[in-house]
Amino acid sequence: GPAVLLTPLRTARGEVKDYRIAAATPEAADVFGRAGRDMVGRHLLESYPLVAGAPLWRGCLRALETGVPYETEPFAYQDADGPAPASATYTVRAAPLGEGLVVTWLRYDPVDRQEQRLADVQRLGNLGWANWNLLTGEISWAAQTYTVLGRPADRPPLPLERLPDLAQPEDTRPLARAIADLVSRGRPLDVPFRTRTAAGVRHLRMVAEAVTAPDGSPVEVHGFVQDLTAQRSAELALVESERVMLLQRGVLQAERALAARLQHALLPLPSKPVRLAGLRVEVAYLPAQAGIHVGGDWFSAIELPDCDALFVVGDVAGHGIDAVATMAQLRFTAKGMVSTGSSLTGALARLNQLLLHSRDGQITATMVLARYDPDRQVLAWAQAGHPPPLLVRRGEVRFLDRPGGMLLGATGAPVYESLELRLEPGDRLLLYTDGLVERPGEGLDAGFARLAEAVRAHGRGESGSLDALLAAMLADERRDDVCVLDIRMPLEEVQDAVATPRETDT
């Protein structure tokens, strides 16, 4: 191959100032077309001045100093001032030999670069070119074609009519029919098929067209085969994922429907405001609009045997059947304990133990528990990690200070406290779940401020509308259930439009 021996020319201080070409192989030829014998005796920098200071020059010096061969990356040498304008791309290697350097090189001509690009395209696209001459029987396959088809490189390429032999039995006939149409009618083909190789089944695609004679008869076929196994595997995985998602969505929708029916049976909403222990009570329950799960928000408003009224609003963490079942357990247990004489704080402590000993011990809930004595007009209340009630009195809106109380199911030794509030004629008290005040990306304080402002803007006392309040607070899509108890002490005893049952379980 092309090689020259360079002898360094040094200064008096021993520094290399140039090289002389001492010998050259017959195959050596430089960028200007000079053959090996014409190169011998020339100085390197005189013949190729652009080498001075270039990485090649520095690499040769380093090879002389260290004794370690130096090899360049491919680089372009362009010289417009030489014997003739010249440009070429090279890879050069310099290896020490005695006091000099043996320099070899590889020149990339345009054809070489084009072939390299074509090989890169086939490799990157995982495809291989093929050509069949129908007149001479000559067949030409690219190296990548053997790789795609999984055939040894030392085997001869297959004739076009035998290509279906590589396909799986289910794909043999469609591929053979398409090839027959291509050869007889010149009809282009684009056919997927599968083949079995040592690495397993591959999903391939063949694209080909015919070159025809003047009379229209096909004389040559060229095209490519492409390996689509990775793409097809991804498509199949996506289809399977979509199938599982649809199945899971169906299960979740069925669970939602069941949970919704169960929730409706457990939480029947009154059609109009009711009268309990002299108080006017209105209830609202709005399910979430986002997602397909039913939440665990709940309420209770009943008259107790001693004519007191019990009000409860709670929120079980989570969604679905488990949340609804836990909600029902807490709801009926709370009513039963308070109805049989348990204090509010005692009831919360027992409900906490109930959650701690539930099936998984990981369920939590918040709650406000209130008991109203109509004779004293006093509301005693306790809470477990729940948002504070809102009181509207004589035009002022404020949130009640909460007594101590950890959310249910969080600890084995919680401390629950209770407070009393004397209600006055015209008072309005809102008990609610956090879905009324929570918004994504917004703190709870901002939600409380919005609620207070909405109450001021949409009426106070008897004229206040719960529907208008909810519309103002829930303008965006609801991501959580919302439950509200609107409790009012009338200014008068006349309540024509209000039902007055002795015991109303809503």
Side-chain angles (χ1 to χ4, degrees), residues 373-384:
D373 181 350
D375 295 331
R376 300 170 52 221
Q377 296 184 340
V378 170
L379 182 83
W381 69 288
Q383 64 87 33

Side-chain angles (χ1 to χ4, degrees), residues 164-363:
D165 296 345
L166 301 178
Q168 291 286 86
E170 301 87 348
D171 301 332
T172 299
R173 181 173 295 180
L175 180 58
R177 186 184 304 115
I179 291 175
D181 286 343
L182 173 67
V183 172
S184 61
R185 304 178 185 177
R187 182 177 298 173
L189 67 82
D190 186 342
V191 180
F193 67 97
R194 292 164 295 171
T195 185
R196 181 171 292 279
T197 67
V201 175
R202 291 183 181 175
H203 294 264
L204 306 182
R205 173 194 181 202
M206 181 176 180
V207 179
E209 63 181 5
V211 178
T212 59
D215 63 358
S217 59
V219 296
E220 189 173 321
V221 170
H222 56 255
F224 64 85
V225 287
Q226 185 176 18
D227 189 348
L228 301 177
T229 303
Q231 177 182 336
R232 183 58 178 160
S233 298
E235 291 173 352
L236 292 175
L238 180 60
V239 170
E240 176 62 18
S241 177
E242 290 176 346
R243 186 191 68 82
V244 172
M245 289 176 62
L246 289 173
L247 178 61
Q248 181 66 16
R249 186 172 182 84
V251 172
L252 293 175
Q253 287 175 334
E255 179 182 326
R256 174 183 172 84
L258 176 60
R261 289 195 297 269
L262 178 60
Q263 187 184 60
H264 180 72
L266 295 171
L267 296 174
L269 287 172
S271 58
K272 57 184 179 179
V274 296
R275 180 88 173 269
L276 297 175
L279 301 177
R280 178 184 182 274
V281 181
E282 189 174 357
V283 181
Y285 186 93
L286 302 174
Q289 294 174 322
I292 62 173
H293 283 303
V294 174
D297 291 21
W298 56 282
F299 61 89
S300 244
I302 64 170
E303 274 196 10
L304 300 173
D306 58 2
C307 298
D308 286 2
L310 174 67
F311 303 108
V312 191
V313 170
D315 185 359
V316 177
H319 298 83
I321 294 294
D322 289 342
V324 174
T326 302
M327 172 269 289
Q329 192 176 30
L330 292 176
R331 183 172 186 264
F332 291 116
T333 303
K335 289 196 302 183
M337 286 191 295
V338 176
S339 298
T340 55
S342 177
S343 67
L344 301 180
T345 55
L348 289 177
R350 290 183 177 88
L351 293 174
N352 181 72
Q353 292 298 317
L354 178 67
L355 285 191
L356 287 175
H357 294 87
S358 61
R359 286 180 301 171
D360 56 13
Q362 301 296 320
I363 300 176

Side-chain angles (χ1 to χ4, degrees), residues 72-87:
T72 70
E73 297 291 334
F75 68 95
Y77 185 91
Q78 296 176 320
D79 191 343
D81 299 327
S87 176

